[in-house]
């Protein structure tokens, strides 16, 4: 009988672990996600990416410049019960979209985020994770001070031990970095140096969002690739075959 009870306890503990791990999968499978966003899962690996950054259901998370809300659609439901989601720089269109689904997104809060002007989204030492997805090139395009201010704001907002997760289009080391990142691609070393300049330590790299087919040399820059396909029918088959961009996935930690 004792052996049976021990075995049952192990099974129960195992089941609880699986359930906890499935919370994120459940959020990713949320039926309210936009179909066009779901189509990008195979290229963006949300489960593996968020696990790599250490985001759990109890985390306080800041998403910088969420844009159309691709990751917000996942983070909102995932963090709603026990965590907290702060959207820094959410536009009116995204807010309207989220407000229409209060059962999923009513707990999300908003912060000011206008690099080069005003950044104020969380008190110092108050959050567990700050995330940015494919945004760094936009801040570089403003000026050097603006992009450094963004990284500094992430460092300041995080608790000691907190994580700054960065996903960005990766420029091959053999290619020259445009000072304004006008192609949308950035050297990995540039981002690492920038993060370290404000106090972060590089904790780990992941190749989960890598794409060896992407040589970063396209007419019109990264936007020639899916999902934008900025060149429309011109070389559409070629760009579709390449898929989304080659991306670095970097995990920084605040000491």
């Amino acid at each position: 009988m004792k052996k049976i009870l021990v075995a049952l306890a192990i099974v129960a503990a195992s089941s609880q672990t699986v359930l906890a791990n499935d919370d994120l999968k459940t959020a990713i499978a949320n039926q309210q996600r936009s179909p066009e966003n779901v189509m990008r899962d195979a290229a963006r690996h949300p489960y593996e990416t968020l696990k790599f950054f250490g985001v759990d259901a109890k985390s306080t998370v800041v998403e910088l410049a969420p844009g159309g809300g691709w990751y917000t659609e996942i983070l909102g439901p995932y963090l709603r019960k026990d965590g907290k989601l702060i959207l820094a720089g959410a536009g009116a269109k995204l807010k309207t979209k989220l407000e229409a689904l209060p059962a999923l997104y009513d707990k999300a809060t908003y912060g000011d985020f206008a690099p080069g002007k005003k950044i104020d989204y969380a008190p110092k030492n108050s959050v567990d994770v700050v995330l940015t997805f494919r945004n760094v090139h936009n801040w570089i395009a403003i000026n050097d001070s603006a992009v450094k201010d963004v990284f500094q704001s992430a460092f300041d907002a995080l608790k000691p031990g907190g994580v700054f997760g960065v996903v960005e289009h990766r420029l091959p080391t053999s290619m020259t970095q445009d000072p304004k990142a006008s192609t949308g691609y950035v050297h990995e070393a540039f981002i690492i140096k920038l993060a370290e300049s404000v106090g972060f330590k590089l904790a780990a790299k992941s190749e989960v969002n890598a794409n060896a087919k992407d040589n970063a040399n396209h007419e019109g820059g990264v936007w020639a690739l899916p999902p934008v396909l900025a060149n429309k029918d011109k070389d559409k088959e070629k760009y579709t075959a390449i898929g989304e961009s080659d991306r670095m996935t970097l995990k920084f930690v605040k000491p």
Side-chain angles (χ1 to χ4, degrees):
M1 176 62 85
K2 185 176 180 180
K3 290 183 178 180
I4 293 174
L5 291 174
V6 170
L8 289 173
I10 292 172
V11 170
S14 176
S15 298
Q16 289 174 356
T17 300
V18 170
L19 181 61
N21 289 340
D22 281 350
D23 287 346
L24 179 54
K25 291 182 179 180
T26 298
I28 293 170
N30 160 31
Q31 295 299 307
Q32 296 297 330
R33 290 183 66 207
S34 306
E36 59 269 26
N37 286 348
V38 174
M39 288 176 61
R40 307 254 61 87
D41 284 3
R44 298 184 177 180
H45 313 97
Y47 183 83
E48 295 82 359
T49 299
L50 293 175
K51 283 295 182 182
F52 174 71
F53 290 143
V55 179
D56 65 43
K58 295 182 179 181
S59 299
T60 296
V61 178
V62 175
E63 184 182 2
L64 300 178
W70 197 92
Y71 263 97
T72 309
E73 286 188 345
I74 297 168
L75 291 168
Y78 182 51
L79 300 171
R80 184 176 180 271
K81 182 182 177 182
D82 297 313
K84 182 177 181 180
L85 175 61
I86 302 168
L87 300 173
K93 186 175 181 180
L94 178 59
K95 288 182 181 180
T96 299
K97 173 182 174 179
L98 301 182
E99 288 168 0
L101 295 167
L104 297 176
Y105 307 110
D106 62 336
K107 300 295 180 62
T109 61
Y110 302 93
D112 294 323
F113 186 75
K117 297 178 181 179
K118 181 180 181 181
I119 298 178
D120 182 14
Y121 51 79
K124 291 185 177 181
N125 305 307
S126 67
V127 305
D128 301 302
V129 184
V130 177
L131 300 172
T132 176
F133 303 98
R134 308 175 308 281
N135 284 314
V136 178
H137 60 278
N138 294 318
W139 306 326
I140 293 173
I142 299 171
N143 56 52
D144 292 345
S145 177
V147 68
K148 187 167 183 177
D149 285 348
V150 171
F151 278 52
Q152 185 67 61
S153 77
F155 186 87
D156 291 343
L158 286 165
K159 301 172 185 176
V163 170
F164 182 35
V166 179
V167 176
E168 178 59 297
H169 312 294
R170 178 164 49 194
L171 186 69
T173 57
S174 60
M175 298 177 71
T176 302
Q177 174 77 63
D178 176 352
K180 291 294 184 180
S182 61
T183 64
Y185 290 94
V186 183
H187 279 150
E188 189 172 287
F190 175 92
I191 291 183
I192 294 172
K193 183 178 180 180
L194 180 59
E196 291 177 341
S197 75
V198 301
F200 283 114
K201 301 296 182 184
L202 178 64
K205 301 180 183 181
S206 172
E207 291 299 299
V208 67
N209 294 304
N211 180 1
K213 295 179 182 179
D214 179 21
N215 63 11
N217 186 18
H218 316 298
E219 180 183 349
V222 71
W223 302 280
L225 298 177
V228 179
L229 293 171
N231 298 325
K232 299 184 179 179
D233 289 335
K234 185 177 181 181
D235 295 323
K236 183 176 181 179
E237 290 185 4
K238 180 183 77 172
Y239 294 131
T240 301
I242 293 171
E244 294 200 19
S245 67
D246 175 52
R247 293 166 185 158
M248 67 187 88
T249 303
L250 306 176
K251 180 179 181 179
F252 298 100
V253 173
K254 177 178 179 175

